Amino acid sequence: MPRFAANLSMMYTEHDFLDRFAAASADGFEAVEYLFPYAYDATELRRRLDDHGLRQVLFNAPPGAWESGERGLAALPGREAEVRSGIERALEYAAELGCPRVHMMAGLVGPAQDPAEHRDTYLANLARAAERAAAAGVDILIEPINGRDMPGYFLSRQSEAHTVVREVGAPNLKVQLDLYHCQIVEGDLTTTLRRDLPTGRVGHLQIAGVPDRHEPDRGELDIRHLFGVIDDLGFDGWIGCEYNPRAGTSEGLGWRHDYRGDNA
């Protein structure tokens, strides 16, 4: 049955960040994810996980100058040294937090830039990162992101991500399939799940309602059907709840309690 992880960057924002662990645990979550851990001491984050019986299942590698608008570095020529140092920092946190997955953001690419050069850089950076992460027992993830929310992002389609994973050929390089982004870019989610989950190349799922990124039962997705498909395919990973609650996180969790496979 699907296992849900609370995304603490988007959920429980009515609490200070370090207090969101307790709130997620109180609502029955057993795992968490978030964008970045680097503003906090790793030992303090680990204490919060342990105090509330939570597992850390995902966070992102350093994305460059996030506050200035950068959205990753992996596909940006000339930034390779920052990518390498960022992976080292991410793996240090992953070791302390017991986190088995790190997402590497590709970055933004302008229309006048050479896509082939960016792609070559992307493949080389991912290969190096996957090799380094394999020694630590960590999977590196890449995620297609829709161009409405993040114009210019280098990777937007599932087929492109799977081609990259196949070309790099590292067993610990996998795709992060966000059903929200996928629906906006290409739709056909049932077929996508049935095609891609059995390959073993999907390392993590995420959900949100489309089009407004609220609770997953709000909008055009039939989440009960999609969860059933995921169940039928035997996916045993985590589904990150990466959405913006409409009016209080706990108040909007009816979708999870109503789902037949969730005992929380």
Side-chain angles (χ1 to χ4, degrees):
M1 66 183 68
R3 300 182 296 168
F4 300 109
N7 186 296
L8 300 187
S9 295
M10 300 179 75
M11 302 173 73
Y12 299 104
T13 56
E14 54 268 46
H15 304 281
D16 291 337
F17 181 78
L18 290 176
D19 295 330
R20 296 175 195 175
F21 294 83
S25 178
D27 279 335
F29 285 102
E30 297 179 357
V32 297
E33 62 177 38
Y34 41 72
L35 289 178
F36 310 111
Y38 311 108
Y40 303 93
D41 185 80
T43 56
E44 176 61 22
L45 294 173
R46 181 70 205 213
R47 185 176 72 81
R48 300 284 172 152
L49 292 169
D50 291 344
D51 284 352
H52 302 292
L54 294 167
R55 297 171 63 178
Q56 182 79 46
V57 297
L58 177 72
F59 62 81
N60 293 350
W66 183 267
E67 298 301 326
S68 299
E70 288 192 317
R71 293 297 182 263
L73 304 173
L76 305 187
R79 308 292 292 275
E80 290 85 352
E82 292 171 76
V83 172
R84 287 194 293 270
S85 64
I87 285 299
E88 292 302 320
R89 191 177 185 200
L91 292 177
E92 290 173 359
Y93 271 82
E96 179 65 31
L97 302 178
C99 184
R101 296 167 203 88
V102 171
H103 170 216
M104 283 183 67
M105 298 188 74
L108 307 180
V109 176
Q113 296 175 297
D114 180 5
E117 182 182 8
H118 286 279
R119 193 173 191 278
D120 289 344
T121 299
Y122 194 42
L123 293 175
N125 278 330
L126 291 174
R128 283 193 296 267
E131 181 179 15
R132 178 66 186 88
V138 171
D139 287 346
I140 297 294
L141 304 187
I142 59 173
E143 178 189 22
I145 296 176
N146 81 79
R148 170 163 65 81
D149 288 355
M150 202 172 287
Y153 193 73
F154 181 74
L155 188 69
S156 63
R157 301 189 69 86
Q158 300 302 313
S159 61
E160 296 168 352
H162 283 267
T163 297
V164 165
V165 169
R166 286 195 301 268
E167 289 188 21
V168 173
N172 66 321
L173 178 63
K174 298 183 179 180
V175 176
Q176 182 173 315
L177 170 52
D178 188 319
L179 297 179
Y180 165 80
H181 292 304
C182 185
Q183 172 69 2
I184 292 171
V185 175
E186 52 198 294
D188 208 10
L189 296 182
T190 296
T191 298
T192 297
L193 288 165
R194 289 174 176 166
R195 180 192 67 209
D196 292 344
L197 287 190
T199 68
R201 291 192 297 268
V202 175
H204 191 68
L205 296 176
Q206 289 178 323
I207 54 169
V210 179
D212 298 319
R213 207 167 192 174
H214 294 314
E215 282 80 359
D217 61 341
R218 298 281 179 168
E220 63 197 56
L221 298 186
D222 182 350
I223 60 161
R224 293 181 68 85
H225 166 74
L226 293 172
F227 291 158
V229 172
I230 294 166
D231 253 348
D232 291 344
L233 293 168
F235 179 74
D236 62 355
W238 292 92
I239 301 178
C241 304
E242 193 181 41
Y243 65 83
N244 296 303
R246 289 200 318 153
T249 302
S250 299
E251 293 81 354
L253 289 176
W255 65 268
R256 190 177 64 117
H257 300 303
D258 289 344
Y259 175 60
R260 62 179 174 82
D262 184 10
N263 296 318

